[in-house]
Amino acid sequence: MLIEGQSVLVTGGGSGLGAATARHFAGEGAKVAILDFDLGRAQAVAGEIGGVAVQADVGDAAAVGAALDEASRQLGSAPRIVVNCAGIGLAARIVGREGKLSFDVFEKTLRVNLFGTFNVMSHAARRMMELEALENGERGVIVNTASVAFEDGQLGQAAYAASKGGIAAMCLPAAREFARYGIRVMAIAPGLFRTPMMEGLPEEVSAKIAADIPFPPRLGEPDEFALLAAHIATNPYLNGTTYRLDGAVRLPPR
């Protein structure tokens, strides 16, 4: 699918991987809508790229539906390309100090990361089904964001790894379900990237983390995530799988 002229929705587009993705697609000539829980950040990036901003908690199915309606109205059509980057990275042991349990962390992480991705994918796919097919039969492409933690989850990452594992696991069945409509579904599992969460770490901690990445021995750049998302959108034979984007890193136990 050619990116130029297409309507694109990026969730979590107010910062990090999502902001880089929104900028990249806009640079390729797409009309971009940014959906973010923080409307101010979404508006800042949208203003920079000539896009539109909508607010929603991705864990709220009704709010997602309303946000997609508004984004489609402002873009002039339902998005043909959706990149789901919204997510949180809470950490907690399953059983912590003094026997404290962490179900609250588990529930919140899955609600945002996994349920949120499912909500956006569901609402977006339903709207894509109603679009006219392009010359090659495509109607849309959905790119979800997993994490290398779905395979290499570290101590304290049970909730995060489970949420990202669910995103990876639903990629193939979703692609199979939507294939008859010409809608592709892919997932990217990024490794250690230079996002606001990582940038908040002390410099010596970041340096140690980067030293464990085989090549290139550095944190990933958000633009590199955006490049892969754009390639997935333009390559019509990519469907139903999860790509690791990680510099060959494998996360240690802690």
Side-chain angles (χ1 to χ4, degrees):
M1 181 186 302
L2 291 175
I3 293 174
E4 185 176 5
Q6 302 296 353
S7 293
V8 176
L9 177 76
V10 181
T11 73
S15 64
L17 302 180
T21 300
R23 292 184 183 106
H24 185 89
F25 277 88
E28 293 289 320
K31 299 174 291 182
V32 179
I34 296 170
L35 186 157
D36 203 288
F37 184 74
D38 187 326
L39 182 59
R41 293 194 304 189
Q43 289 173 329
V45 177
E48 174 190 331
I49 64 175
V52 302
V54 291
Q55 193 277 338
D57 172 358
V58 292
D60 183 333
V64 168
L68 272 170
D69 284 341
E70 178 60 20
S72 299
R73 184 188 69 79
Q74 293 196 49
L75 292 173
S77 72
R80 284 195 186 270
I81 301 170
V82 171
V83 185
N84 273 308
C85 295
I88 56 175
L90 304 179
R93 294 180 183 233
I94 298 169
V95 181
R97 293 178 180 177
E98 300 178 354
K100 184 182 186 314
L101 304 183
S102 60
F103 181 76
D104 56 336
V105 173
F106 191 86
E107 183 176 46
K108 182 175 182 178
T109 302
L110 263 69
R111 189 183 72 83
V112 176
N113 293 356
L114 181 57
F115 299 173
T117 297
F118 185 87
N119 283 337
V120 176
M121 179 172 65
S122 302
H123 282 280
R126 186 173 69 181
R127 288 160 176 77
M128 288 176 182
M129 290 175 186
E130 299 173 353
L131 296 173
E132 288 291 324
L134 302 175
E135 290 183 2
N136 65 352
E138 270 194 293
R139 284 190 171 83
V141 57
I142 299 168
V143 182
N144 296 325
T145 302
S147 164
V148 295
F150 92 93
E151 293 183 320
D152 305 343
Q154 295 179 294
L155 188 151
Q157 283 191 323
Y160 186 71
S163 71
K164 296 301 187 176
I167 290 171
M170 71 181 177
C171 183
L172 180 58
R176 287 172 165 168
E177 176 179 342
F178 299 140
R180 62 183 292 191
Y181 303 103
I183 299 169
R184 296 184 288 117
V185 181
M186 288 284 291
I188 301 173
L192 303 167
F193 272 68
R194 195 180 303 281
T195 60
M197 183 169 61
M198 292 295 293
E199 289 174 346
L201 296 175
E203 187 175 339
E204 62 273 14
V205 175
S206 296
K208 184 180 182 304
I209 291 171
D212 291 332
I213 302 172
F215 188 83
R218 58 168 174 80
L219 298 177
E221 296 294 342
D223 287 347
E224 292 166 329
F225 177 92
L227 281 171
L228 182 53
H231 178 71
I232 289 170
T234 57
N235 189 329
Y237 210 60
L238 290 176
N239 197 13
T241 195
T242 300
Y243 272 160
R244 286 184 69 123
L245 182 65
D246 60 16
V249 76
R250 296 297 180 268
L251 302 181
R254 63 175 72 202

